[in-house]
Amino acid sequence: MKVPFNRPSLTANELPYIEQALKEAHLSAYGNFTKRCHSILEEAIGVKSAFLTCSGSAALEMAALLADIKAGDEVILPSFTFLTTASAFALRGAIPVFVDVHPENMNINEELVAAAIGPKTKAIVPVHYAGLPCNMDALQAIAEKNNLLLIEDAAHALHSKYKGQEAGSFGAISILSFHAAKNVNSGEGGALLVNDPDLIERAKIIWDKGTNKGELSKGLVSFYSWQALSSAFAPSEITAAFLLAQLEQSREITQERSLIWNRYHEAFETLEAREHLKRPALTADIQQNGHIYYLILNSQNERDRLIEFLLAREISALFHYVPLHLSPAGKAYGRSHGNLPVTEDYSRRLLRLPVFKGLDLDSQAYVCRSVQEFFSRN
Ligand SMILES: Cc1ncc(COP(=O)(O)O)c(C=O)c1O
């Protein structure tokens, strides 16, 4: 039995919607499919404005422009994340300041965030790793107290909840990713979410390639002109048509993946009790979205051997994130706040198991059995 790590989810409507977009002959950005995606995201997540982008990385770059990040500003974020969480801000000349994560959930440690704040700090960028939300009460309080922007990297966390509220709705600005590996995908894709009403007009200009085209379409000006630094962030209507089909079923996709997540969690309870491994910590405050199921093994050697063991059984399991503060560009463009022992240790011991819509019960049972067998032999 072969179990891939991921299979991008598909619904029945991607092709019909793309055909419709072709018939409407509006293939560039800013059309009806894009508008429908925006409405769904605004309503489902509870944010004031959504803007589709070509990727989560593009949404982060748009966030850095919108936050008016300048050379020499500092942005606090975890080292345990995808590189564009940092690179988007470094592109503006800012310095990513890396802090350590909690061992229970690999999310940014709020006490270390507070300690890393200095006179140049402009923003805090928490990442909801694996779709388990960060402690948003604490992070919001720190951001407010220090007058800092909170920019949520919710790339993993569509429909995850913190105290019943959707991830992506806490930050002044948030981003989502619709990369093929994410729960809801359009191959490549993302979104910028804006909650701060004072930022919405500028977000529209940045999204409109730095122009006031929006005012032109309302008849408020007779021609449009260059207003702000920007780029081409919006995806084509073909991508938006594909994404709409996915977003219309995002609750069902999330539910199916969450059930898979819960089954893994139950299956490995005994192995955790016997101290063979650690599972991600679920607390009463958070609701996972089934994005990533990971285990922390007792050593890197054991993690690597388990990956090999599973591979020999045609099961694809992967590690995650070379810490940014240890990577060449992370060293060149960022700095660490103190030591990051949890990030360094846990990233060597973390293993991700297959999760995707359509992973059937037999395949998942085979994965669980194989992990259990590894420990009974070792
Ligand atoms: C935490 C995090 N942020 C941002 C991104 C960037 O998203 P994208 O691949 O859509 O550019 C990713 C991608 O995997 C990610 O894992």
Side-chain angles (χ1 to χ4, degrees):
M1 190 184 291
K2 206 171 182 156
V3 189
F5 181 73
N6 177 46
R7 211 176 272 148
S9 67
L10 282 177
T11 73
N13 284 334
E14 286 84 357
L15 281 178
Y17 284 177
I18 288 172
E19 270 176 34
Q20 206 180 317
L22 298 183
K23 278 192 199 128
E24 286 174 13
H26 179 143
L27 298 184
S28 61
Y30 314 118
N32 285 328
F33 283 103
T34 299
K35 283 185 195 140
R36 287 164 73 184
C37 289
H38 287 179
S39 302
I40 290 186
L41 286 170
E42 286 160 8
E43 196 178 327
I45 301 177
V47 292
K48 296 205 170 59
S49 276
F51 299 89
L52 291 194
T53 58
C54 296
S55 64
S57 303
L60 282 159
E61 287 175 34
M62 209 180 140
L65 281 168
L66 182 58
D68 203 21
I69 300 291
K70 296 260 177 18
D73 287 345
E74 291 187 352
V75 175
I76 299 172
L77 71 162
S79 166
F80 187 75
T81 182
F82 189 66
L83 68 99
T84 53
T85 314
S87 173
F89 297 94
L91 272 169
R92 308 253 50 82
I95 299 161
V97 177
F98 302 118
V99 301
D100 212 354
V101 290
H102 287 292
E104 295 80 21
N105 57 15
M106 304 305 284
N107 281 336
I108 199 162
N109 180 321
E110 318 75 53
E111 280 176 25
L112 297 174
V113 170
I117 293 170
K120 292 182 180 163
T121 309
K122 192 81 187 275
I124 304 169
V125 188
V127 176
H128 307 296
Y129 179 68
L132 299 184
C134 299
N135 180 341
M136 295 315 293
D137 279 350
L139 291 167
Q140 272 185 326
I142 294 168
E144 266 169 42
K145 184 176 164 208
N146 295 280
N147 200 19
L148 301 173
L149 265 178
L150 190 58
I151 303 175
E152 271 180 272
D153 182 336
H156 296 184
L158 178 67
H159 298 326
S160 296
K161 289 187 182 144
Y162 175 76
K163 296 193 173 171
Q165 188 181 328
E166 296 266 336
S169 65
F170 294 89
I173 306 170
S174 305
I175 72 100
L176 297 171
S177 166
F178 301 122
H179 181 268
K182 302 300 187 290
N183 292 18
V184 163
N185 88 98
S186 52
E188 299 282 351
L192 180 91
L193 309 175
V194 183
N195 272 315
D196 181 343
D198 294 342
L199 293 175
I200 291 174
E201 285 313 308
R202 238 172 66 76
K204 283 183 189 159
I205 288 172
I206 294 171
W207 191 65
D208 263 342
K209 300 186 184 174
T211 73
N212 56 342
K213 258 189 179 171
E215 289 180 0
L216 178 68
S217 63
K218 286 184 199 149
L220 299 173
V221 290
S222 51
F223 57 90
Y224 74 81
S225 58
W226 184 19
Q227 306 284 324
L229 274 187
S230 185
S231 188
F233 289 118
S236 81
E237 279 289 281
I238 299 173
T239 299
F242 188 106
L243 183 63
L244 179 66
Q246 295 263 315
L247 285 175
E248 284 177 341
Q249 291 195 19
S250 64
R251 298 280 177 200
E252 290 82 355
I253 297 170
T254 307
Q255 200 180 4
E256 185 175 333
R257 293 184 68 127
S258 286
L259 287 174
I260 293 169
W261 200 102
N262 286 335
R263 281 199 290 271
Y264 276 137
H265 207 57
E266 247 183 76
F268 301 129
E269 194 177 352
T270 312
L271 287 177
E272 186 176 53
R274 292 186 185 146
E275 297 184 1
H276 282 303
L277 49 78
K278 277 173 66 160
R279 301 176 302 161
L282 266 189
T283 63
D285 285 344
I286 65 172
Q287 202 172 311
Q288 49 82 12
N289 67 345
H291 179 49
I292 290 172
Y293 194 83
Y294 72 86
L295 299 170
I296 306 287
L297 280 294
N298 285 338
S299 68
Q300 177 173 10
N301 178 277
E302 200 162 60
R303 190 269 312 261
D304 293 347
R305 283 193 296 114
L306 178 53
I307 289 178
E308 286 297 311
F309 183 86
L310 294 175
L311 202 59
R313 283 163 171 67
E314 299 197 297
I315 296 167
S316 174
L318 304 175
F319 63 87
H320 219 181
Y321 297 143
V322 173
L324 297 184
H325 73 287
L326 300 179
S327 62
K331 285 180 190 164
Y333 298 109
R335 69 171 174 83
S336 303
H337 175 78
N339 295 326
L340 288 83
V342 180
T343 300
E344 290 183 17
D345 179 25
Y346 277 53
S347 63
R348 294 194 194 104
R349 300 198 268 134
L350 186 148
L351 169 150
R352 292 176 292 156
L353 292 174
V355 180
F356 52 88
K357 182 173 173 281
L359 177 64
D360 59 79
L361 285 173
D362 283 353
S363 301
Q364 192 180 6
Y366 174 59
V367 175
C368 295
R369 249 192 346 267
S370 300
V371 172
Q372 281 148 356
E373 214 179 299
F374 174 82
F375 287 104
S376 63
R377 286 180 184 198
N378 282 275

